[in-house]
Amino acid sequence: MAATEKNVSRVLIIGGGFAGLECARTLAGDSRFSVTLVDRTNHHLFQPLLYQVATASLAAPDIARSIRQILEDAENVTVLMDEITAIDPVKKTAEGKSGHHFEYDYLLLAVGARTSYFGKTEWAENTLALKSLADAQAVRRTVLSNLERAELTDDEAERKRLMTVAIVGGGPTGVELSGAFADLVHRSLRSNFRRIDTSKLRVVLIEGSARVLEAFDEDQSEYTRQRLKEIGVEVWTGMRVDDVKKGVLHFTDGTVLESEAIIWAAGVEAQPLTAMLGVPLADRGGRITPQADLSLPCMPDIFVAGDIVRMKDADDKPVPGLAPAASQMGRHIAKILKREKDRPGGQRDPFYYLDKGFMAIIGKNHAVVKAGKLKMRGILAWFAWLFIHIAFLIGFRNRLSVLLGWAFAYIRDNPEARIIVNPPGTKVQ
Amino acid sequence: MAATEKNVSRVLIIGGGFAGLECARTLAGDSRFSVTLVDRTNHHLFQPLLYQVATASLAAPDIARSIRQILEDAENVTVLMDEITAIDPVKKTAEGKSGHHFEYDYLLLAVGARTSYFGKTEWAENTLALKSLADAQAVRRTVLSNLERAELTDDEAERKRLMTVAIVGGGPTGVELSGAFADLVHRSLRSNFRRIDTSKLRVVLIEGSARVLEAFDEDQSEYTRQRLKEIGVEVWTGMRVDDVKKGVLHFTDGTVLESEAIIWAAGVEAQPLTAMLGVPLADRGGRITPQADLSLPCMPDIFVAGDIVRMKDADDKPVPGLAPAASQMGRHIAKILKREKDRPGGQRDPFYYLDKGFMAIIGKNHAVVKAGKLKMRGILAWFAWLFIHIAFLIGFRNRLSVLLGWAFAYIRDNPEARIIVNPPGTKVQ
């Protein structure tokens, strides 16, 4: 970080997701701030479309963009790829895994969420997650490789295991993923194999509670279940996972499901960095409840934003872990910092969440949307989903490339990213 | 493979490159043949554009397509992803790593080339190759990660090592790669970093003989050297590598070059499967010289094609290891098989190579082309290069997506695929 000039505040942003990026963008060009954004990866990821990389519809660069590239015109912003391993809120410093030492006047912690196994960390080894690009490519690689192995084998039991995709978690990720997989194997890949019938591949969506998409209304959940069933997804609700062994799911009612592709989308928790701030955590998921302005109690120079925040909105409903909430928080914090430069000592505004609603796509051309009192479903909801996701994709080439990819895949039922780059088990140099 | 029906010949094609794929496509729909195509990967790779994945201009799915997808309408063709480990030319069988057993009436071996270290296999560990998609992604990951590390470090010597890309081998791959890297770091990335000046990154192209692009004419080599120099590539000709240690190249004249990204593009050799056919190999590179019809001496049921073939054309010049030569061979062999069904016992036609020429792109908008007596260079050659490469890219979406990617990158000097999916050293699950 550059040496502190007079009246220039050093802002350290940890995390280049929606919250961190939006904060940096709002501070960009304001020479009263010297901003450093640190992320473990070199790219901002458009997480809402991650499942499409997993299901071979999109290529990784379609939904990810170099953070430096996004911020290249922001001369007061320095982007560094590093992993923060320690924060000292008293000395106002942080340490990077690379050995780099960071100093700040203001800190924004926006490190996001990771997959939660509810304490059963050993389950991670026997399942695939869906939080990063590498995760998505691993899901794609596993499902496509399993089909290749199924085409080769003469062992019926093995073939059955290879031709079962189990998705644990009936939230939007699970619903979107299972719908896309059903479309892929039952429609697109049908004429690709000679020895197996891909329309027989089982896609099983598993949810512990009584219905999928719990954040939506009951009739929308029911609609979603119907639609998923129509396109060939088995929806198992009220089924609780008891244990996960290699290739086998055990349920509390004694049911056993064998599958060589178990995808875990059942829950998230905050990245563990939240435990370093010395404030009590708000839940077992490691999240933090900040003050109304998003700063920490007794630490007005430290802010939190995005998926690590647990707070309620004006209607006393929890602010969801969604991209719009994270962006709004990042922007709010940047505005507080700017305001304090304009009028030092003034009162800070509280954060108000503007609810943009929820949406989930179900297979090829259906979706459900819930935004306040507005409820939509079917093809109209699908168009709304399409429009909103394209509009918020960062970067022009990405947007056009994604749109084209979708258009072709839609017309020809033929997603083009069906390649296995690294065979399972290879080591990346 | 399906049981032999009367008069149906089982054709086993090993390798889904240009030769194998073209043979399968030519036999597609001819019910007199039951074709099995086996490849270690699930995709056909458009190798001429591999360097663009390495230099972050294109995404992997832009230049690779699922082999099953290409051949999905060919009902008499079965595609299997397996690695052949043994061939028995007497029993007419082959064994796959998966345990699968193959039987054939005709065999086409078209397994292509791999990187050659001229016997110094230990050099492979200290260099990056450029033959597969995984290789290309490793090159991209390494160069981008090195820049990130250079931006973080305060150690001048380390920064210098990190900011040197050494490319060994002045053939088309080395020339295209070095030009694209120079464009990337000296132009596109310039405004992305705050602590380092990417225009100072060294791109060194190393060639053991007296000139780059030896297959072209001398004035074209000289033109290429000039152009590369203008865009910021250091061209070292007549420099022979003596040893490759981790991060260090030692030359026979005592020169030492430190670089954290050493890319080896100095030579290729046939995949080792050629040694299993029981015929003498034509050179140390493991290639085979077939009969004029591309079958093996005394084994008229076994053919070879593509980069594993060493033979001369009608003008007594060696047939080059290029995509057009491989495709022509694959088609020739398929036609021989068809002809023999039409007129059993007839004479087989010899293979004639139709020289389509050579081309290499040099940085952003220059190229050299040599085709028979035709010689071109500069922007006209670049347009010829562009047209030919787009025209031969398999798959419509790929073609359009690549064209768009190029158009945007060209206009804005801003390639979009600058993402590091797996940080160096991670294990792919």
Side-chain angles (χ1 to χ4, degrees):
Chain A
M1 210 173 299
T4 326
E5 288 165 53
K6 214 181 155 199
N7 289 325
V8 173
S9 294
R10 295 164 305 179
V11 181
L12 177 60
I13 301 173
I14 307 177
F18 286 100
L21 191 61
E22 191 61 29
C23 184
R25 287 171 130 187
T26 312
L27 294 174
D30 189 330
S31 58
R32 299 171 300 178
F33 298 96
S34 167
V35 180
T36 302
L37 191 157
V38 188
D39 197 287
R40 285 182 304 174
T41 72
N42 81 329
H43 52 269
H44 171 74
L45 178 63
F46 194 77
Q47 284 216 16
L49 289 179
L50 198 53
Y51 80 95
Q52 295 218 358
V53 173
T55 53
S57 287
L58 294 177
D62 288 339
I63 64 158
R65 202 161 179 237
S66 154
I67 300 173
R68 328 194 146 274
Q69 195 172 358
I70 300 172
L71 294 167
E72 65 181 337
D73 296 328
E75 282 177 25
N76 64 328
V77 181
T78 301
V79 178
L80 295 175
M81 186 171 111
D82 203 352
E83 187 170 344
I84 299 297
T85 53
I87 298 168
D88 187 330
V90 179
K91 289 190 187 146
K92 298 192 168 200
T93 58
E95 308 303 324
K97 203 174 179 180
S98 73
H100 197 83
H101 174 75
F102 299 85
E103 296 178 1
Y104 65 81
D105 298 309
Y106 293 100
L107 175 71
L108 166 55
L109 193 67
V111 285
R114 64 176 186 182
T115 305
S116 164
Y117 300 90
F118 310 117
K120 311 273 189 180
T121 44
E122 69 275 17
W123 292 2
E125 277 185 32
N126 300 326
T127 58
L128 295 156
L130 194 64
K131 285 300 286 177
S132 67
L133 276 183
D135 286 346
Q137 292 187 340
V139 170
R140 174 162 81 191
R141 182 187 311 129
T142 304
V143 174
L144 292 180
S145 299
N146 285 357
L147 284 171
E148 295 293 341
R149 287 167 60 200
E151 176 86 345
L152 272 169
T153 190
D154 294 313
D155 177 335
E156 255 322 302
E158 187 191 3
R159 183 174 283 177
K160 220 171 145 186
R161 273 201 317 278
L162 290 166
M163 289 187 65
T164 303
V165 175
I167 298 161
V168 185
T173 301
V175 166
E176 296 189 327
L177 197 58
S178 60
F181 268 129
D183 277 349
L184 178 73
V185 292
H186 298 165
R187 296 199 211 188
S188 311
L189 294 182
R190 247 171 117 171
S191 52
N192 278 210
F193 293 83
R194 301 289 176 262
R195 294 158 51 97
I196 56 171
D197 178 358
T198 61
S199 72
K200 298 229 169 87
L201 186 139
R202 291 176 75 186
V203 179
V204 186
L205 178 65
I206 295 144
E207 166 61 37
S209 72
R211 60 184 175 101
V212 296
L213 297 184
E214 278 205 293
F216 292 72
D217 291 345
E218 268 187 49
D219 60 320
Q220 290 183 308
S221 295
E222 186 48 35
Y223 171 79
T224 303
R225 174 206 282 271
Q226 281 301 331
R227 275 299 309 162
L228 285 174
K229 211 177 139 190
E230 278 164 40
I231 61 175
V233 176
E234 296 176 39
V235 183
W236 294 11
T237 48
M239 291 290 280
R240 287 176 190 280
V241 173
D242 189 43
D243 201 1
V244 187
K245 302 279 186 204
K246 194 164 162 44
V248 194
L249 278 170
H250 293 273
F251 295 89
T252 49
D253 70 352
T255 305
V256 170
L257 179 65
E258 291 194 304
S259 162
E260 294 274 316
I262 303 172
I263 301 157
W264 191 262
V268 294
E269 63 189 17
Q271 291 281 358
L273 220 50
T274 55
M276 282 184 197
L277 295 175
V279 292
L281 301 178
D283 56 23
R284 281 194 300 173
R287 290 186 297 171
I288 290 172
T289 299
Q291 310 266 80
D293 65 346
L294 297 175
S295 71
L296 296 186
C298 308
M299 291 189 241
D301 53 334
I302 301 186
F303 296 87
V304 287
D307 287 0
I308 63 168
V309 169
R310 181 193 170 112
M311 71 188 302
K312 301 224 165 153
D313 69 5
D315 299 334
D316 212 38
K317 283 184 300 190
V319 176
L322 293 176
S327 294
Q328 289 173 30
M329 291 183 196
R331 203 177 314 126
H332 179 79
I333 293 160
K335 282 183 175 166
I336 284 181
L337 297 182
K338 287 181 154 206
R339 183 85 51 91
E340 287 192 343
K341 287 279 178 190
D342 297 337
R343 288 177 290 152
Q347 193 78 12
R348 285 180 176 179
D349 286 334
F351 170 69
Y352 282 113
Y353 171 57
L354 178 65
D355 185 3
K356 299 253 177 98
F358 306 86
M359 40 181 45
I361 194 165
I362 316 158
K364 200 180 169 184
N365 41 22
H366 288 74
V368 283
V369 172
K370 187 191 175 193
K373 291 199 166 29
L374 174 75
K375 273 165 54 173
M376 280 202 286
R377 68 191 199 189
I379 192 136
L380 209 69
W382 182 80
F383 270 111
W385 182 95
L386 194 72
F387 176 78
I388 286 171
H389 282 78
I390 285 288
F392 283 92
L393 251 190
I394 283 172
F396 188 58
R397 187 232 148 157
N398 294 16
R399 225 177 274 175
L400 232 145
S401 169
V402 169
L403 197 59
L404 274 172
W406 281 348
F408 287 125
Y410 189 87
I411 296 162
R412 305 163 71 222
D413 249 337
N414 222 351
E416 293 280 353
R418 290 180 215 164
I419 55 163
I420 304 168
V421 175
N422 296 289
T426 46
K427 173 135 168 61
V428 175
Q429 282 160 0
Chain B
M1 209 172 301
T4 326
E5 288 165 54
K6 213 182 158 200
N7 288 325
V8 173
S9 294
R10 295 164 304 177
V11 181
L12 177 62
I13 300 174
I14 307 177
F18 286 98
L21 191 60
E22 191 60 31
C23 183
R25 287 172 129 187
T26 312
L27 294 174
D30 189 332
S31 58
R32 297 171 301 178
F33 299 96
S34 166
V35 179
T36 302
L37 190 156
V38 187
D39 197 287
R40 285 184 304 175
T41 73
N42 82 328
H43 51 269
H44 171 73
L45 178 63
F46 194 75
Q47 284 217 17
L49 288 179
L50 197 54
Y51 80 96
Q52 296 220 357
V53 172
T55 54
S57 288
L58 294 176
D62 289 339
I63 64 157
R65 202 158 180 239
S66 154
I67 299 173
R68 332 191 143 274
Q69 195 171 358
I70 300 172
L71 294 168
E72 65 182 336
D73 297 328
E75 283 177 25
N76 63 327
V77 181
T78 300
V79 177
L80 295 174
M81 187 171 108
D82 202 352
E83 187 172 343
I84 299 296
T85 53
I87 298 169
D88 187 330
V90 179
K91 289 191 187 145
K92 298 190 168 203
T93 59
E95 307 304 325
K97 203 175 177 179
S98 73
H100 197 83
H101 173 75
F102 298 84
E103 296 177 3
Y104 64 82
D105 298 309
Y106 294 99
L107 174 71
L108 166 56
L109 191 67
V111 286
R114 64 176 187 183
T115 305
S116 165
Y117 301 90
F118 310 116
K120 310 273 189 181
T121 44
E122 67 275 18
W123 292 2
E125 278 185 30
N126 300 324
T127 58
L128 296 156
L130 193 64
K131 284 302 285 178
S132 68
L133 275 182
D135 286 344
Q137 292 187 340
V139 169
R140 172 161 83 192
R141 181 188 311 128
T142 303
V143 174
L144 292 179
S145 299
N146 285 357
L147 284 171
E148 295 292 342
R149 287 167 60 201
E151 177 87 344
L152 273 169
T153 190
D154 293 313
D155 179 334
E156 255 322 301
E158 187 190 3
R159 185 174 282 177
K160 222 171 141 187
R161 273 202 315 278
L162 289 165
M163 288 185 67
T164 303
V165 176
I167 298 160
V168 185
T173 302
V175 166
E176 297 188 327
L177 196 59
S178 59
F181 268 128
D183 277 350
L184 178 72
V185 291
H186 297 166
R187 297 198 210 190
S188 312
L189 294 181
R190 249 172 112 170
S191 52
N192 278 210
F193 293 83
R194 301 288 175 263
R195 296 159 49 98
I196 56 170
D197 178 357
T198 60
S199 72
K200 298 230 169 84
L201 185 138
R202 290 176 76 188
V203 180
V204 186
L205 178 64
I206 295 144
E207 167 60 38
S209 73
R211 61 185 176 101
V212 297
L213 297 185
E214 277 204 294
F216 291 74
D217 290 347
E218 269 187 46
D219 61 318
Q220 290 183 309
S221 296
E222 185 49 35
Y223 170 80
T224 303
R225 173 206 284 271
Q226 281 301 331
R227 276 300 309 161
L228 285 174
K229 213 177 138 189
E230 278 164 39
I231 60 176
V233 176
E234 297 176 40
V235 182
W236 294 11
T237 47
M239 293 288 282
R240 285 175 191 280
V241 173
D242 189 43
D243 202 3
V244 187
K245 302 277 185 204
K246 196 167 159 45
V248 194
L249 277 171
H250 294 272
F251 294 87
T252 48
D253 70 352
T255 306
V256 169
L257 180 66
E258 289 194 305
S259 162
E260 295 271 318
I262 303 173
I263 301 157
W264 191 262
V268 293
E269 61 189 19
Q271 292 281 358
L273 220 50
T274 55
M276 280 183 197
L277 295 176
V279 290
L281 301 178
D283 56 24
R284 282 194 300 173
R287 291 187 296 171
I288 290 172
T289 299
Q291 310 266 79
D293 65 345
L294 298 173
S295 72
L296 296 185
C298 308
M299 292 190 240
D301 53 334
I302 301 186
F303 295 87
V304 288
D307 287 0
I308 64 168
V309 169
R310 180 192 172 112
M311 70 188 302
K312 301 223 166 155
D313 68 5
D315 299 335
D316 212 37
K317 284 185 300 189
V319 175
L322 294 175
S327 293
Q328 289 173 29
M329 289 182 199
R331 204 175 316 127
H332 179 80
I333 293 160
K335 281 184 177 166
I336 284 180
L337 297 181
K338 287 182 157 205
R339 183 86 49 92
E340 288 192 342
K341 288 278 180 193
D342 296 336
R343 287 179 289 152
Q347 193 77 12
R348 285 179 176 180
D349 285 334
F351 170 68
Y352 283 111
Y353 170 57
L354 178 64
D355 186 4
K356 299 254 177 98
F358 305 88
M359 40 182 42
I361 195 164
I362 317 158
K364 201 180 169 185
N365 42 23
H366 289 72
V368 282
V369 172
K370 187 191 173 192
K373 290 199 168 28
L374 174 76
K375 273 164 57 173
M376 281 202 287
R377 67 195 201 187
I379 192 134
L380 209 71
W382 182 80
F383 270 112
W385 181 95
L386 194 74
F387 176 79
I388 286 171
H389 282 79
I390 286 289
F392 284 92
L393 253 188
I394 282 172
F396 188 57
R397 188 232 148 157
N398 293 17
R399 227 178 274 176
L400 231 145
S401 169
V402 168
L403 197 59
L404 275 170
W406 281 348
F408 288 125
Y410 188 88
I411 294 162
R412 306 163 70 220
D413 250 338
N414 221 353
E416 295 279 354
R418 290 180 217 164
I419 56 163
I420 304 169
V421 176
N422 296 288
T426 46
K427 174 135 168 61
V428 174
Q429 284 160 358

